[in-house]
Amino acid sequence: MSFNLLTDPLPDSVEINGTDYLINPDHRTIIRILLILEDTTFYDEERRQMALYLFYKVVPEDEAVAFEAMMDFIRCCKDEKKKKEAEKIAFDFEIDSDMIFSAFFQIYGIDLTVIELHWFKFMALFADLNDGTPALINLMQIRTAELTSDMSNDQKLRLLALQKKYRIKKDEDLLNHNAGLADQMMRGG
């Protein structure tokens, strides 16, 4: 299913086996879900259950299909089935929360702590943050920059030092999960 933010109403439910289920579509809920899904202090099934109970007002019986529908919503109903795994993670909702808040406030005048922003709107705005947002964008650029042959040795050493300093330190499963999400967001999807 493809979604057009300009022409389609913002979804407040998902369809599962012919039944519409009401959801909690605000940005804070979805970010909490993503953080729970990353939290390796819980077993996989516990994370799935917590995520489903946060997302759905009433959790559907077919939890496997419900989980896939939730993840499709989190991907903003984009038709991309294959996620490219980025080598480097550009951002993390937990680690970079202050800078994300600041970027939204500086660029859009949106206080993310008081407004309930639909996830699709949040993602559209997040994807459009640009070089006018120094702290967050610079940090993301540092994390994803590649060493090139036209860089001096000093530039290479500085970049490597900055990448080490600002690297997101998470376990490998979590890195792979976030890499796909980061790649999707950086491509505007």
Side-chain angles (χ1 to χ4, degrees):
M1 169 177 140
S2 184
F3 181 82
N4 185 324
L5 193 58
L6 299 177
T7 60
D8 298 331
L10 291 170
D12 62 357
S13 65
V14 294
E15 184 183 331
I16 298 173
N17 300 327
T19 303
D20 285 336
Y21 289 88
L22 292 175
I23 60 171
N24 297 306
D26 71 282
H27 71 284
R28 284 181 286 209
T29 299
I30 304 304
I31 292 171
R32 282 186 191 112
I33 289 168
L34 292 170
L35 294 175
I36 285 169
L37 292 174
E38 294 175 350
D39 190 343
T40 57
T41 61
F42 297 104
Y43 293 110
D44 289 347
E45 187 57 30
E46 291 173 314
R47 290 185 293 202
R48 264 177 41 115
Q49 289 290 317
M50 288 187 285
L52 290 172
Y53 279 94
L54 279 174
F55 185 69
Y56 291 99
K57 303 226 181 216
V58 175
V59 177
E61 283 185 38
D62 190 342
E63 290 184 359
V65 174
F67 186 83
E68 192 55 44
M70 177 185 72
M71 295 309 294
D72 187 47
F73 179 88
I74 290 172
R75 290 186 294 269
C76 299
C77 299
K78 301 293 181 189
D79 287 331
E80 299 172 26
K81 294 293 180 192
K82 292 183 179 179
K83 289 188 243 174
K84 293 181 181 178
E85 301 224 359
E87 291 180 20
K88 298 177 183 178
I89 297 173
F91 70 94
D92 181 276
F93 283 122
E94 188 167 30
I95 294 169
D96 301 326
S97 63
D98 292 347
M99 285 185 279
I100 294 168
F101 168 82
S102 177
F104 269 75
F105 196 74
Q106 286 176 31
I107 300 300
Y108 305 120
I110 296 174
D111 183 341
L112 292 174
T113 65
V114 296
I115 189 170
E116 285 192 11
L117 196 59
H118 191 283
W119 179 246
F120 289 11
K121 287 182 183 179
F122 175 86
M123 289 303 295
L125 294 169
F126 187 87
D128 200 41
L129 291 175
N130 57 39
D131 290 333
T133 332
L136 180 62
I137 297 303
N138 287 340
L139 185 60
M140 292 168 68
Q141 289 171 343
I142 288 168
R143 288 178 177 155
T144 59
E146 298 290 332
L147 296 176
T148 62
S149 59
D150 62 330
M151 292 176 150
S152 70
N153 285 340
D154 286 344
Q155 289 172 320
K156 289 177 183 177
L157 289 173
R158 178 167 165 64
L159 177 59
L160 289 172
L162 288 171
Q163 285 180 336
K164 182 177 180 182
K165 179 178 180 181
Y166 295 116
R167 184 179 54 129
I168 296 172
K169 299 164 188 85
K170 303 255 183 170
D171 64 12
E172 284 303 311
D173 291 337
L174 185 54
L175 286 176
N176 290 334
H177 170 75
N178 278 349
L181 185 59
D183 183 54
Q184 175 187 348
M185 289 179 182
M186 293 305 292
R187 288 177 298 160

